[in-house]
Amino acid sequence: MSISGFEPNVLWKQFEKILSIPHCSGNEKQLGEYLLSYAKSRNLEAERDDTGNVVIRVPATPGHEGAPVVVLQGHQDMVGEKNSDVNFDFNKDPIQVEVDGDWLTAKGTTLGADNGIGLAAALGLVEAEGVVHGPLEILATVDEEVGLTGAGKLLPGFVKGQTLLNLDSEELGAVYIGCAGGGDTTITLPVSRTDAPAGTKSLIVKVSGLRGGHSGIDIIEQRGNAIKVLTRVLSQVVKSQPCHIAEINGGNKRNAIPREAWGGVMALDTAVDEISGVAANEMEKIKVELGGRESDLSVVLEPADQAYAKVLDEKSQGTLLDLLLGLPHGVEAMSYDIPGLVETSNNLATISTSGKGMVIGTSTRSSIVSALQALRDRISGIARLAGAEVKENEPYPGWKPDLDSNILQVVKKVHADVFGKEPEMKAIHAGLECGIIGEKFPGMDMVSFGPWIEHPHSPEERVNIPSVNSFWQLLVAVLQEMAG
Ligand SMILES: [Zn+2]
C-alpha cells in the first residue's frame, strides 16, 4: 500500500522512502547515504562524520537569512524486533506497513516511526511549499537505541545552531524539556572466610515475586528491591540465631530494579524453625510498608544442593550486612520545577559473590549533574567506610529543565495558537540524546516533541496518522515564529 497520499504528503513520501531502506542500529550506512544523496539532489550542503552522523544545511527562505539557525534533530536508527512467526530480515527487507483505522503499523515487525517520522518531517520541510523558515541544520544521529553513542561522538562545530528541536518524543500535546543523566558504581567488598561450624547445614533464603521494572522510569513507584528485602531478613535472622552467610546474589542488570535475590547460609538444624519464623515475620512487616505494591513478595527457606565448607567470618558478615543496609535505593529527590518528576535516584541493582569478595553494582540518575555526583559520592563514602574498593564509571549527562528557555516560550505560544492550549511540559528520569547534545554544544536551547507513537521498540509499534499532521503543523509554525 502507499502511504505517500497521507497529509502532509512531503513527510509521508520521505517516511515511505525510509521504510524501504534497512536501518537498524549499527546498520545505518545505507540510510546515511540516502540522506547525502537527497541533499545533493537538492543542492544542499551535507556532511557525514566518521561515526555516521549526518548534517544537512538548508538555507533560509528568502528574506529570513538573518534568523537564528535551528537544528532539527532525530536519529537514523530503529530497533529491529519481530514476532517469532514472521519471516523478515532487517538487514535487507523493506518494512511492510498496514493501516488500522487511524493507526499505521508494520506487519509483525517494528515500524521505525521511532524516529523515522521525525526524520521524515525534517526532510519533508526541504520540499514543502509555502513554509517560511530561517537557516536549518538537519542533524541525523546514529546508534541512539543502543546507548546514545552516535550523539556521544559528535564533534564541536558539526552543527552551528544554538537552538535545537529534537523530533524524537512520542506524545502529542506534550513537550519534553529535561532528562536524567546517570552513572554506575561498582563496589567490591573484600571478605574473610572461615570453616563452617560443625553441625550446621546449608539453607537458601530466597526473595522473589517482586515487580522490578526500569530503574529510571519505574523508580518513582518505590517498588520493593529484592536485595534490600533479603538484607533486612538476614539482618533479623542473624540477630536471633547463629546463622553464617556463605554467599549473597541478586539482580542481573544495572538498569532493572532487582526482582529476585538469594542468600546461601549455614545454620544448626535446631535453628531452622526459628529462622523461618523470623524471616516470615520480617517479610510481613516489609509487605505492610510496601502497601499494595508488592502483594506477590515471597521469602522462602529452601534446602541447598550442597553444604558450604566456608562461610564469611563474623566481622565480614557484619560489615556486608551494614554496607547493604546503608546503601541507598529509590527516589532521593523530586524535581522542584516539574511536578511528579524524579530528579535524583539510585538503583541498588546487583550483588554477586566471587572469590575476591562481594561485588555490588548501583546505577544512579539525576537531571542535575551536581546532584548526581553528590549521591554517587555518598555511595562511595559508605562503601569506603566498609573497607570496600569503589569504581565509578564515566557519567553521561542529564538535561536540566529550563523553564526560561527561549525556544520553550516559542513552542508554548505557537502550540496555544495552533491547538488552543499550551502543551504539557514533561521530563523523563532516563537518558535522551538532548542530554548529551547539551553537553557537547554548551548553551544549546532545546525542546523535544513528536507525533503520537505507541509501543515503540516492539512489533506492536504504531503511529497515529492524524497526529503526524498535528506534529507537522506545530513544527512548521514553530519554524515560522523563529524566522521572525
Ligand atoms: Zn527514538
Side-chain angles (χ1 to χ4, degrees):
M1 69 157 297
S2 175
I3 57 174
S4 58
F6 295 166
E7 286 298 317
N9 181 258
V10 285
L11 183 159
W12 287 105
K13 220 173 80 187
Q14 291 301 326
F15 187 58
E16 190 167 46
K17 182 73 196 177
I18 292 169
L19 290 170
S20 73
I21 306 170
H23 60 284
C24 286
S25 306
N27 187 29
E28 301 98 329
K29 194 157 175 262
Q30 276 186 69
L31 183 54
E33 263 146 34
Y34 168 67
L35 297 175
L36 295 177
S37 72
Y38 177 74
K40 203 172 166 200
S41 73
R42 304 259 143 199
N43 280 322
L44 300 173
E45 200 186 302
E47 208 181 316
R48 174 158 61 171
D49 67 15
D50 292 343
T51 312
N53 301 309
V54 171
V55 62
I56 301 174
R57 300 195 173 86
V58 185
T61 45
H64 300 274
E65 293 80 2
V69 179
V70 175
V71 183
L72 302 171
Q73 191 257 323
H75 58 87
Q76 297 175 41
D77 59 318
M78 67 176 276
V79 173
E81 284 288 331
K82 64 184 190 75
N83 290 327
S84 51
D85 59 347
V86 174
N87 197 354
F88 190 89
D89 184 350
F90 280 103
N91 288 318
K92 59 181 207 329
D93 296 338
I95 303 283
Q96 303 294 323
V97 295
E98 55 193 352
V99 174
D100 179 9
D102 276 347
W103 296 88
L104 181 75
T105 180
K107 292 182 181 165
T109 69
T110 36
L111 174 63
D114 169 16
N115 189 201
I117 296 284
L119 214 51
L123 297 173
L125 280 167
V126 173
E127 298 178 50
E129 277 173 28
V131 173
V132 173
H133 58 78
L136 305 176
E137 291 175 311
I138 299 172
L139 173 61
T141 52
V142 292
D143 249 11
E144 189 267 352
E145 303 286 8
V146 287
L148 317 171
T149 55
K153 288 180 185 157
L154 285 169
L155 294 173
F158 196 60
V159 290
K160 317 273 187 295
Q162 285 286 294
T163 302
L164 182 141
L165 304 177
N166 171 285
L167 308 177
D168 186 27
S169 48
E170 288 147 6
E171 220 179 317
L172 198 67
V175 175
Y176 279 79
I177 61 170
C179 75
D184 294 345
T185 303
T186 304
I187 297 163
T188 306
L189 179 72
V191 291
S192 306
R193 292 186 169 88
T194 182
D195 290 340
T200 55
K201 66 174 217 176
S202 57
L203 280 175
I204 302 293
V205 182
K206 195 175 160 196
V207 175
S208 62
L210 293 169
R211 294 170 66 198
H214 186 274
S215 68
I217 308 295
D218 297 318
I219 203 87
I220 190 167
E221 294 193 20
Q222 301 281 43
R223 297 174 180 174
N225 176 320
I227 298 170
K228 281 288 189 186
V229 173
L230 179 65
T231 303
R232 282 181 55 178
V233 167
L234 290 176
S235 299
Q236 294 306 319
V237 164
V238 302
K239 268 190 228 167
S240 92
Q241 288 291 322
C243 179
H244 309 275
I245 296 171
E247 61 179 321
I248 291 184
N249 302 286
N252 53 19
K253 268 193 195 153
R254 290 297 171 102
N255 64 0
I257 299 165
R259 294 170 43 244
E260 296 187 348
W262 59 275
V265 303
M266 294 292 283
L268 289 170
D269 219 357
T270 51
V272 173
D273 281 352
E274 172 76 15
I275 289 174
S276 124
V278 171
N281 190 23
E282 188 65 12
M283 181 193 79
E284 285 308 324
K285 289 180 185 163
I286 294 170
K287 257 195 187 170
V288 170
E289 290 168 30
L290 288 167
R293 290 184 202 93
E294 300 284 8
S295 47
D296 294 334
L297 168 63
S298 132
V299 180
V300 292
L301 265 62
E302 292 172 353
D305 292 343
Q306 57 191 38
Y308 296 101
K310 298 274 185 192
V311 294
L312 303 189
D313 71 12
E314 207 182 321
K315 182 156 181 284
S316 289
Q317 174 165 308
T319 305
L320 172 63
L321 291 175
D322 284 347
L323 174 59
L324 290 173
L325 287 170
L327 286 172
H329 172 84
V331 175
E332 166 78 4
M334 298 296 290
S335 166
Y336 182 75
D337 293 326
I338 311 276
L341 172 69
V342 176
E343 178 206 278
T344 307
S345 75
N346 187 58
N347 182 35
L348 175 56
T350 58
I351 179 166
S352 61
T353 305
S354 79
K356 275 205 307 190
M358 315 301 291
V359 184
I360 298 163
T362 71
S363 169
T364 314
R365 299 175 190 263
S366 181
S367 39
I368 303 181
V369 176
S370 59
L372 174 70
Q373 194 52 50
L375 185 53
R376 296 183 87 194
D377 286 348
R378 196 168 115 210
I379 290 163
S380 301
I382 293 167
R384 279 192 301 267
L385 280 173
E389 183 200 312
V390 180
K391 276 203 186 101
E392 287 186 335
N393 79 346
E394 192 63 39
Y396 60 89
W399 171 26
K400 185 181 184 305
D402 175 9
L403 297 176
D404 298 327
S405 143
N406 180 56
I407 186 66
L408 177 60
Q409 308 314 318
V410 169
V411 172
K412 277 164 76 174
K413 174 187 176 292
V414 167
H415 195 284
D417 291 348
V418 176
F419 303 115
K421 60 173 191 290
E422 286 199 351
E424 221 181 317
M425 282 181 293
K426 292 196 168 182
I428 63 168
H429 193 56
L432 291 178
E433 283 181 308
C434 288
I436 291 167
I437 291 170
E439 191 196 53
K440 297 268 168 192
F441 302 92
M444 187 72 90
D445 190 14
M446 304 178 285
V447 292
S448 173
F449 59 87
W452 182 11
I453 297 172
E454 289 189 339
H455 316 301
H457 307 178
S458 85
E460 283 72 51
E461 179 182 2
R462 58 184 200 161
V463 61
N464 180 278
I465 298 161
S467 81
V468 173
N469 201 14
S470 305
F471 160 60
W472 171 262
Q473 285 173 27
L474 179 63
L475 177 62
V476 166
V478 167
L479 292 178
Q480 190 148 344
E481 182 78 14
M482 287 298 287

